[in-house]
Amino acid sequence: MPRSDAPEWQCVMVLWGDKYDVAVVNRLICAIATHTKRQPRFVLLSDRARPGLDPRADLRAIPAFWLQEVFRRSGCQTKLSMFEAGVLQDDLPALYIDLDTIVTGDLTILLDRLPRPDGLMLLQSAILPLGPIGRFFWRMTKGRKYARGNSSLVVFHPRYHHNIAAQFVDLWAKEPSFWFRPMIADERFISWASQAVVSAIPNSLAVKLPAEFMSRLTVLSYVWALLPMVRARRGRLIAVTLCGLDLKPERLLALPEGGRVTDAKGRTLIWSDFVLGKTRQAIISFYSSPIL
């Protein structure tokens, strides 16, 4: 059945500087469009014109406040610009996706998992779980302790979350520094500001590659790969993000079968079909296939 031309959701990406070229954006757009059953509106927030950008993408300027050099470092506070009023359409649900993510399924499944209209979903990051338990500690400590997520994927409806950008701007105006701990990284601030409604993206649908497939004890990678329930869950994944400079695709694709790479945290990835299941071939296919 052909899809309607009217977009039913918006897929948001952010690109500043020269770390990624436009081909990476175009490859991700092609993959998402291939798998989705509902027409998306692609939005690229950028600091400049991007010649060669896929014509399906709506190129929008990142507001000047978020382009301060201090926000474009490892804390990635520039990503918070997507929550500023007027940047995204208020009438469409949104899914933000990092550019170093492979997509092998329909991302609208994640939109359908949003538990409430004003909810927000992140990948689980720290030990304290996103959701009711995290909110309990957040309330008991008056916001000092809270569950943290990873912002490689963010599912939300823009109309309900302009407060995230507005709160950061207000805190920065009081003192232009990262004096308030949650301000040190975009994902920390998103987690803190949305703690009342935040929940975790199911790890049966999307994961961070380091958290899911890497370990400081390599034997554990083999143990997890042997478990039928784990193998089945990993087989259903629709998105895997390759977060971390040690895990860029060109480095992975250069590894032989069974090769290993260790990140700065001492976690080792075993580059084999046995350990990674379908994910290894998905990465190879994603980054080797021509851009349509």
Side-chain angles (χ1 to χ4, degrees):
M1 182 180 296
R3 294 198 298 259
S4 168
D5 288 337
E8 298 180 46
W9 61 288
Q10 49 195 324
C11 180
V12 184
M13 295 159 280
V14 179
L15 176 60
W16 66 86
D18 301 312
K19 182 178 178 181
Y20 296 100
D21 61 27
V22 75
V24 175
V25 180
N26 293 347
R27 183 179 297 280
L28 192 54
I29 288 173
C30 286
I32 294 167
T34 296
H35 291 288
T36 187
K37 293 181 175 63
R38 283 183 263 165
Q39 182 67 30
R41 172 188 182 229
F42 292 103
V43 181
L44 178 66
L45 305 181
S46 183
D47 59 345
R48 67 191 72 174
R50 297 289 174 176
L53 179 65
D54 189 307
R56 289 172 288 187
D58 178 8
L59 181 67
R60 308 206 64 183
I62 297 171
F65 172 84
W66 303 103
L67 289 176
Q68 297 178 60
E69 195 274 335
V70 69
F71 298 154
R72 292 182 282 120
R73 299 173 184 168
S74 59
C76 296
Q77 291 85 0
T78 298
K79 284 168 59 175
L80 297 175
S81 62
M82 65 181 166
F83 297 107
E84 185 169 304
V87 171
L88 300 178
Q89 286 185 211
D90 269 354
D91 59 346
L92 289 176
L95 185 147
Y96 166 82
I97 186 167
D98 267 359
L99 299 181
D100 55 358
T101 304
I102 66 164
V103 174
T104 59
D106 185 359
L107 293 180
T108 62
I109 296 172
L110 299 180
L111 295 171
D112 293 339
R113 292 296 185 97
L114 198 63
R116 47 191 284 179
D118 62 345
L120 182 146
M121 292 198 304
L122 299 166
L123 293 172
Q124 181 65 49
S125 182
I127 295 174
L128 188 62
L130 296 164
I133 295 176
R135 278 190 280 280
F136 172 79
F137 282 93
W138 175 67
R139 288 193 297 267
M140 292 299 100
T141 64
K142 301 187 186 308
R144 293 191 305 276
K145 301 291 184 182
Y146 59 97
R148 301 201 312 267
N150 176 273
S151 63
S152 294
L153 288 165
V154 187
V155 184
F156 65 106
H157 205 302
R159 73 171 66 178
Y160 299 110
H161 295 289
H162 299 316
N163 66 294
I164 295 176
Q167 282 182 285
F168 187 94
V169 171
D170 287 346
L171 290 168
W172 190 261
K174 292 179 180 178
E175 181 183 325
S177 68
F178 302 122
W179 59 275
F180 181 49
R181 183 69 176 172
M183 296 171 69
I184 65 172
D186 72 290
E187 56 199 26
R188 285 182 179 241
F189 197 79
I190 295 170
S191 300
W192 173 80
S194 65
Q195 192 70 196
V197 296
V198 73
S199 57
I201 294 172
N203 67 355
S204 58
L205 295 173
V207 296
K208 298 184 297 178
L209 188 141
E212 180 65 33
F213 295 102
M214 299 179 71
S215 175
R216 292 181 177 86
L217 297 174
T218 54
V219 67
L220 291 180
S221 295
Y222 291 106
V223 171
W224 283 110
L226 282 169
L227 299 177
M229 291 181 63
V230 173
R231 295 183 70 86
R233 177 178 60 79
R234 290 174 173 178
R236 295 190 296 269
L237 292 173
I238 62 173
V240 178
T241 182
L242 279 60
C243 51
L245 294 176
D246 297 310
L247 299 171
K248 294 312 174 192
E250 56 271 16
R251 182 173 185 187
L252 294 180
L253 268 59
L255 290 173
E257 163 74 28
R260 299 185 179 191
V261 59
T262 301
D263 70 6
K265 296 182 179 179
R267 300 172 298 187
T268 296
L269 174 73
I270 303 170
W271 183 244
S272 74
D273 288 338
F274 175 77
V275 172
L276 297 177
K278 77 161 191 173
T279 297
R280 179 173 178 267
Q281 292 303 321
I283 293 172
I284 293 171
S285 175
F286 188 85
Y287 288 107
S288 301
S289 301
I291 301 173
L292 302 177

